[in-house]
Amino acid sequence: MNGISWGKNHSPRRFGGNLADSPLPETDAPTPKPTETEPPELLAKRPHRAQKNPLALSRWVLAFALILIAAFFLLFFPYPVVINSPGPTFDVLGKNDGDIPLIEVKGAKTYPNNNGELRMTTVSTLGGPGSMVNGLDVIGATFDKNSEILPVELVYPKSLTSKDIETIGVRQMDQSQLAAEAVALQSLGYKVEATWSVAEIPKEAGAFGILENGDVLETIRHGEDQPLEITTIETLRDYLATIPAKTEVTLSILRDGNPLEVTFPTMKNSQGKGSQLGILLDSKVNVPLDIKFHLQDVGGPSAGAMFALGIVEQLTPEKITSNHPVAGTGTIDLSGAVGPISGIAQKMAGARADGAEFFLAPAANCDEVDGHIPAGLKVTPVATFDDALRALKTIREDAGKDLPSCPSRAQK
């Protein structure tokens, strides 16, 4: 902020003529002081001091105070919003800053050369726990067509800390990578096994005090129903969606390798119909290959579909990519379903900025795609991993313009 310099305002002295024009007195008597009887023109010739204007000074003080207040609200006042903007994209077939492949596969022959681009996309988020949004950020986002401003309570629960957010993001990324490994290898004919174990049990959950961390879930049943084998988290969710909240369910589990049955009530599903167990689960996927992901400082589950495509490309002699750069996003589960994500508009903008010609978007995000597609980007919806593979094949055959698009609002 520029400073304000303050200085004295000196009025010039005014003289009516030369001093020699006035005769000096002939006596030693002191010069008489001017009186009200002296001519006005003589009084005007005498020097005087400038009088300070209290009103002008108060205006300067008020202006300075207003500048300080404006600076506070622009720079230091935290606004309760979250700003989402396009983040960087990463070629999952490329290398990181340390010249290490983003996806490293060991245990089988790989084909890392002459591949096209498969870019996973991200959103840069400002605001929420541990991150402050100031007035300049809000002004910048308001005039940026690719940014969105959301109330913080719509994005983060009040109870979450910055540490919680980081932990959740890392866990989601780990889960998406595990699912990507399983789906990719299964599509190539590898045998993959997955198990689900208890990671955390909140006190309000009906399973609190009954389940223990590390318990491995095998089956679930309600009443006299036949037990359902828990092979994926999606099969478990679909089953619970048909059961009312606070319904007793029985789980067959392994605790320290020993079989056990436990019964407890479900909880209300906060994201849909039916109920939920109300616990956090960890998955363990047993795959025959050693696959590592060398990507840092990125969290969340939305890169799963692109990771899976990257694994298949590395293990396939025939290229599934082409000279047309492809970007995309979407969660992936062990059944191969591609799920919706947040920030689709920002991810499309980031993809186009990094040179993508085609974008694979989760079909469930079609409503958010319409009206936000950057010029020069062809966006096609995918609901499954097989849809994504077919889209790449079409692009490789230079028929990408014929790919389906999300229906516009006018078509619905």
Side-chain angles (χ1 to χ4, degrees), residues 285-309:
V285 180
N286 297 317
V287 296
L289 303 182
D290 181 14
I291 302 177
K292 289 184 171 60
F293 299 84
H294 301 286
L295 179 67
Q296 296 180 337
D297 301 325
V298 178
S302 64
M306 300 307 290
F307 282 143
L309 291 173

Side-chain angles (χ1 to χ4, degrees), residues 3 7 15 137 154 169 202 204 232 248 275 321 330 342 380 382 407-408:
F15 297 96
D137 298 323
L154 291 183
E204 61 270 20
T232 68
E248 294 277 335
S275 59
T321 55
S342 60
T380 189
V382 293
S408 66

Side-chain angles (χ1 to χ4, degrees), residues 5 13 27-28 79 98 104 114 148 159 180 255 274 311 325 339 341:
S5 298
R13 284 186 172 92
T27 66
D28 293 331
Y79 287 78
E104 186 178 20
N114 304 317
E148 66 174 351
S159 59
R255 180 174 294 170
I311 294 170
I341 50 80

Side-chain angles (χ1 to χ4, degrees), residues 78-89:
Y79 287 78
V81 298
V82 170
I83 297 174
N84 289 331
S85 304
T89 67

